[in-house]
Amino acid sequence: MGEVMEVTGVLQSVSDLPVQDPPGEEFSAADLRWVKYASSEHHCDDVALIPYDRMEAFISGECNNPEYPTRFHIERGRKRERGTLKEVRSDDYLLYRMYWCSFGPENYGEGGTILPSRRYRLNTRNRAARPQSMRGCTCHFAIKRLYARPSLALIIYHERRHVNKSGFVCHGPLDRDAIGPGARKVPYVGSEIQQQTMSLIYLGVPEENILQTHIEGIQRYCGSDAKVDNLASQYVHKLGMIIKRSTHELDLDDQASIRMWVDRNKKSVFFHQDSTETDAFVLGIQTEWQLQQMIRFGHQNILASHSSFGVSKLKYPLHTILVFDSRQQALPVAWVITRSVTKHDTSRWMQALTSRIHSVDSNWRIGGFIIDDPTSELDPIRNVFSCPILFSLWHIRRTWLKNIIKKCSNTEVQREIFTKLGKFMYSIWSEKNPMDILEQLFQDFVDQTTFIQYFKSFWVPKLEMWIDTIRNLPLASQESCGAIEGYHLKLKLKAYDDSQLDALQRVDWLVHKLTTELHSGYWLNLYADESGSFPEVKAEYIASTSWQRALHIPDEAVLFDEKEPLSAKVASQKDASLMQTVWNAGSEFSLCSCSWSMQGNLCKHVIKVNMMYAPRKDFQPSLSFQSFQRVLLDLWQKPLDDSFSLDLSVAWVMQMQERIQKVAELAASDGIAQVAGKLPIQWANKRGRRTAIRRTSPMRFLPHSNGSVQRDLTPKRNRKRRSTS
């Protein structure tokens, strides 16, 4: 462990600092020599200079401090581009991030200063087993990637001690009052271990297994001890009893109960509008963990909307904002409970959601937004998120297939009707009139009176709206449709529990269901996937969508019949003698004979057959590809021949093509360094000499969705004359 450097003076420039690079995979503040530094922004703080690529090693070392085990989260962040500063100081930054100990800065104890587990006894009948993990820790530091020297990072430690505002140690083995009377010999139960234990309890895991996992978690910070195991057993049992006895009804009146919940959970509410004569009820929920995942997976990525869940069964429909994680699984990052779809209310809660994110990361922005309801207001999405909008067909496909199976008993008739409806969808971009195909459908299946009456009464009045939306918006891919449908099935399984059918008309029950069981399930899934702690949970999470299950089917299991080119057979992985038949192969409106498809779901056999069908000559491009092709053709067909508009459209198409090629190349490569190494060399003059620099990527000149154009960040030559003596 290194010693802290003692100096008599205070440095005024970062240029005088030596660069330190301690050996090992990770290192901490104890391995560095610290120097006092003062400037107009900093008030004489401890600083050290390290290589920028060792920043993660330093953060990891600080988290694994044996005296104060913790994690550091990004409290604030800022970023600027090269060329934006006219005068550069030695401590100016390209990237600035402030990291705060996860046991702070807020204090969730009683009154914010004295915790319930202190030296006097409290009535704990209706109280949690221990206070929440945030204990008012003031330990925090900032890291600057220097503007003048981007390969270096400046660490500014504002407070190195893990103490609260009163100066007392507030977490870790040295905190004597962390978990009640026996806390002097028991380390503090971190938020990760607590959330893991709560998730296992909500999912119905036996208490013996939960206790074993909990003890393994706290033994990472201390050795095995009989007293520690005994206290851990009491903690798990008490937490389980509290969760089992908890109820969603804080008040007999549902509206009053929701107000009480909002007051108690302000950190998890980003928007709340009570129901009045003029205003509709709106409740926006987002936990701290969901906020972190939205920033992590949503930046420069796609958000999706799962709207209008429970329109006919719940008191207020549920609207979910989804992101796609590293495995492209749909992850809920915000819930909005409201019946209002007006532009005013939608703009307000969307603005509140983005404002909360920008308060943490001001540079956060998304690349696209997927909607699944043609009645959704598009202006709030364009104004708030400033991004392209895509449309998903998962809802209409699922609804049509479920009602065909329910209202038509003959399997061959089900197959023919679903194929006809697929032709109807594919004809939207052709010269044929889609309604002619629909009229032919009504004539061919006039004997299926139940389904025809349902379709005419429920869908025919809406079809014009759906067709206009499909024509005007690009369509989402089948993979994203499958991920959204996977979330829908999980939500439906949790929400429509038979034992809770009498509570569907209460909002507090829905809030309780979302923030406990559903939230805990997704937290544990992502934790198991990234840590590898629960192999069975991880395997189930990976295989939770039909797209991922289709990737595990070998190509040899798919058999095509030359006599029937529009059908295929898929051999079962468990029983090779069992074959599933897929009709209308190569279309999103394929139908499979498996039980999962017969429930109205998009099954793995349909996806796998479509993957194998793509190289065939008679393959019809997917709906999403046809909509994308239509966008490009519209750009090319708009201007008149030999006009300036034609030149501009061609330039836009070429830029879009180059950007798609770069993204596809990056997705197929091992890293960005492999792509950057292939960029051609461009010669440029610099200070009178000819030097070679990399050509600027064409993606840099593409306009953002809000209309602004990115500036060329190539360093400019300073033409200011020097004074001669």
Side-chain angles (χ1 to χ4, degrees), residues 24-32 50 52-73 99 141 143 155 157 162 221:
E25 295 183 359
E26 61 183 37
F27 60 96
S28 64
D31 300 317
L32 299 173
I50 64 171
Y52 178 73
D53 56 5
R54 298 296 310 278
M55 179 181 68
E56 294 296 334
F58 171 76
I59 298 174
S60 179
E62 285 296 278
C63 293
N64 295 329
N65 188 335
E67 296 180 350
Y68 310 101
T70 183
R71 286 192 175 188
F72 284 87
H73 65 270
Y99 292 86
F141 60 87
I143 294 182
I155 305 175
Y157 231 126
H162 290 265
Y221 307 121

Side-chain angles (χ1 to χ4, degrees), residues 345-397:
D345 289 336
T346 305
S347 298
R348 290 188 63 191
W349 68 256
M350 282 188 176
Q351 188 63 51
L353 181 61
T354 54
S355 298
R356 189 185 194 205
I357 297 173
H358 289 155
S359 65
V360 179
D361 185 358
S362 58
N363 296 307
W364 184 88
R365 58 181 301 155
I366 65 174
F369 197 99
I370 299 177
I371 64 173
D372 60 356
D373 187 354
T375 62
S376 301
E377 290 287 349
L378 304 183
D379 289 341
I381 301 175
R382 293 192 176 105
N383 297 334
V384 175
F385 293 102
S386 302
C387 68
I389 302 175
L390 291 80
F391 187 67
S392 175
L393 294 177
W394 79 270
H395 180 73
I396 191 172
R397 181 195 183 278

Side-chain angles (χ1 to χ4, degrees), residues 302-306 319-324 368-371 480 484:
I302 293 179
L303 294 186
S305 168
H306 176 269
H319 186 103
T320 307
I321 301 296
L322 303 169
V323 296
F324 300 96
F369 197 99
I370 299 177
I371 64 173
S480 61
I484 299 174

Side-chain angles (χ1 to χ4, degrees), residues 133-257:
S133 61
M134 302 186 75
R135 303 290 293 270
C137 184
T138 58
C139 178
H140 65 289
F141 60 87
I143 294 182
K144 286 184 176 182
R145 186 177 188 180
L146 296 180
Y147 189 94
R149 295 185 286 176
S151 62
L152 300 180
L154 178 68
I155 305 175
I156 307 167
Y157 231 126
H158 300 290
E159 177 57 67
R160 294 180 59 184
R161 301 174 303 162
H162 290 265
V163 297
N164 54 26
K165 292 182 179 180
S166 301
F168 296 106
V169 176
C170 53
H171 65 90
L174 301 182
D175 181 13
R176 297 180 300 177
D177 301 312
I179 323 178
R184 298 191 179 191
K185 297 183 180 180
V186 181
Y188 190 82
V189 179
S191 58
E192 182 180 286
I193 300 177
Q194 183 195 24
Q195 182 63 58
Q196 173 184 289
T197 305
M198 292 175 60
S199 299
L200 294 174
I201 295 174
Y202 280 122
L203 295 178
V205 178
E207 187 173 319
E208 296 78 10
N209 299 342
I210 300 175
L211 177 60
Q212 181 181 358
T213 305
H214 182 79
I215 293 177
E216 291 175 356
I218 64 176
Q219 283 181 353
R220 288 182 295 178
Y221 307 121
C222 65
S224 179
D225 183 83
K227 190 170 184 178
V228 171
D229 296 347
N230 184 38
L231 290 174
S233 176
Q234 296 178 15
Y235 172 81
V236 172
H237 179 71
K238 185 175 182 181
L239 186 60
M241 293 299 296
I242 292 173
I243 290 176
K244 291 177 181 178
R245 294 175 181 176
S246 62
T247 177
H248 60 275
E249 291 187 359
L250 302 179
D251 191 277
L252 294 178
D253 180 59
D254 187 36
Q255 193 171 7
S257 180

Side-chain angles (χ1 to χ4, degrees), residues 559-574:
L559 303 176
F560 291 99
D561 189 355
E562 298 298 334
K563 297 181 180 179
E564 297 183 9
L566 294 181
S567 66
K569 293 185 179 297
V570 183
S572 173
Q573 301 301 299
K574 298 180 180 180

Side-chain angles (χ1 to χ4, degrees), residues 15-87:
S15 304
D16 301 330
L17 282 174
V19 180
Q20 305 179 60
D21 190 3
E25 295 183 359
E26 61 183 37
F27 60 96
S28 64
D31 300 317
L32 299 173
R33 297 177 65 86
W34 298 90
V35 181
K36 292 293 183 182
Y37 170 70
S39 67
S40 58
E41 295 182 2
H42 309 288
H43 303 284
C44 198
D45 295 314
D46 293 337
V47 297
L49 202 60
I50 64 171
Y52 178 73
D53 56 5
R54 298 296 310 278
M55 179 181 68
E56 294 296 334
F58 171 76
I59 298 174
S60 179
E62 285 296 278
C63 293
N64 295 329
N65 188 335
E67 296 180 350
Y68 310 101
T70 183
R71 286 192 175 188
F72 284 87
H73 65 270
I74 301 175
E75 185 72 15
R76 288 196 299 271
R78 295 191 294 271
K79 186 179 181 181
R80 61 165 61 106
E81 299 177 348
R82 297 294 299 270
T84 56
L85 294 180
K86 296 182 179 179
E87 297 181 1

